[in-house]
Structures are given as structure tokens and as C-alpha cells.
Amino acid sequence: MKSYNATTYAILGILTTECKSGYAIKQCIDQSLNHFWKISYGQIYPTLKLIAQEELAEVRTLSVPGKPDSNEYYLTSKGLDVLKNWLEKPIEHLPTERNEVLLKLFFGRYQAREKKVLLLQNYKQELEERYQTYISIEQAIINHKDNDEDSIYWLCTLDYGKRTTKAAIDWCEFTLDKFYREGN
């Protein structure tokens, strides 16, 4: 079976939801996947074109009076098979994080102590805001989970985000305390 890039598989997965147009797919990404998987408009439309060409989805034109026509994409059985096949394969690469805070801290010897502390305080604040966002998303899913078979999976991925964010907040507190005690 042909192999595709991760963006293709992500969009095939999104097409299993109610998101069927390029715009709706981008909204879905921004509201849920964006916390762990980023895809730009510049990736969405070429991928949708490929998916249609490969007959992984069929395109239906939606006409609404007073609005421009829009294309909606619906998974074919072939597209669903490709998605399922990919989902069942083992993970090829352990994810690595690109974290600018850690990069700057790694070279922290060349940064003033006050700047390091401010960097960590700001990072901690942003993480706390992210954590609150996750709590809000979680509540929205819980309030509507009776209507969606996917909610358990969404809650599991959200829990990962909450736990890793909480761990990063704890790390910030530990590191800030270390700088305060040791005067680094």
C-alpha cells in the first residue's frame, strides 16, 4: 500500500469528523489538533487535491445561494482503508520537541540572571494559560460527549497535553527555585 506523509493521514482522519471543507478542516485543526499537530492552509489544499486525485476522498461541490460554491471532501472506502492501515502501523519516530526556552536556557551562562528568571516566569505564565485552555476544551468535550463516539479519544489526547503542560509548569517552578537559591 502506498505511503503518504503525516499531513495526509491527519487530514484523512479529520475527514472522519464533520469537517469536510478546507476552511472547516483548518478550523478543526486550530481548535483541537493545533495543540499537538500544526497544519497550515498552505498544506491543507494541496493535500486535499492529492487525496481527491488518489481517490481517497470524493469531492462534492456545495452551492449555497448568495455564496461562492465550496468543495466538500468525503472519505471513500479506499481512503478509510489507507487511514486504518496507517493507524495500525507502529510509530516510526519518537517525537522530539523543539523548545526555544530550553535552547536559551542551555546557553544560559551567557544570559543575565534577571533575564533567565524573566524568561522562565513568562514561560510558566504561558503554560498556565495553556493549561486553562485545556481545562476549557475538556469541559466542552465532556458537555457534548454523549453526542460523539470520538470524545474518549479526544479526552485521552487532551489529557496528554494537560499532563505534559503540568509537568512543564512544575519544571519551571523547580528551576526558578534553583536559580533563586543558588543565585545563578
Side-chain angles (χ1 to χ4, degrees), residues 1 4 8-16 56 75-89:
M1 187 170 273
Y4 297 93
T8 303
Y9 295 118
I11 292 178
L12 287 173
I14 292 168
L15 290 176
T16 67
L56 304 177
L75 272 184
T76 61
S77 58
K78 178 181 176 184
L80 189 57
D81 288 345
V82 166
L83 176 64
K84 287 179 178 179
N85 182 274
W86 173 74
L87 289 169
E88 292 172 1
K89 286 183 179 179

Side-chain angles (χ1 to χ4, degrees), residues 92-129:
E92 293 179 17
H93 306 285
L94 188 63
T96 56
E97 181 182 4
R98 291 175 56 107
N99 185 318
E100 186 178 355
V101 171
L102 293 178
L103 185 61
K104 287 184 176 189
L105 190 59
F106 189 83
F107 299 108
R109 179 168 60 113
Y110 302 101
Q111 187 179 33
R113 180 182 178 279
E114 307 81 45
K115 296 292 184 181
K116 283 184 283 223
V117 167
L118 185 60
L119 174 76
L120 290 169
Q121 288 171 336
N122 290 340
Y123 183 49
K124 181 178 177 247
Q125 181 179 346
E126 288 179 23
L127 289 167
E128 289 168 340
E129 290 169 9

Side-chain angles (χ1 to χ4, degrees), residues 11-56:
I11 292 178
L12 287 173
I14 292 168
L15 290 176
T16 67
T17 71
E18 295 177 9
C19 301
K20 301 297 182 194
S21 68
Y23 177 79
I25 290 168
K26 181 62 172 151
Q27 296 303 307
C28 178
I29 291 165
D30 289 348
Q31 293 170 5
S32 57
L33 298 181
N34 202 38
H35 300 287
F36 59 91
W37 197 266
K38 299 192 184 318
I39 302 173
S40 70
Y41 268 124
Q43 294 172 287
I44 292 172
Y45 289 102
T47 302
L48 286 171
K49 183 178 178 182
L50 171 73
I51 286 170
Q53 287 173 344
E54 296 280 324
E55 299 179 349
L56 304 177

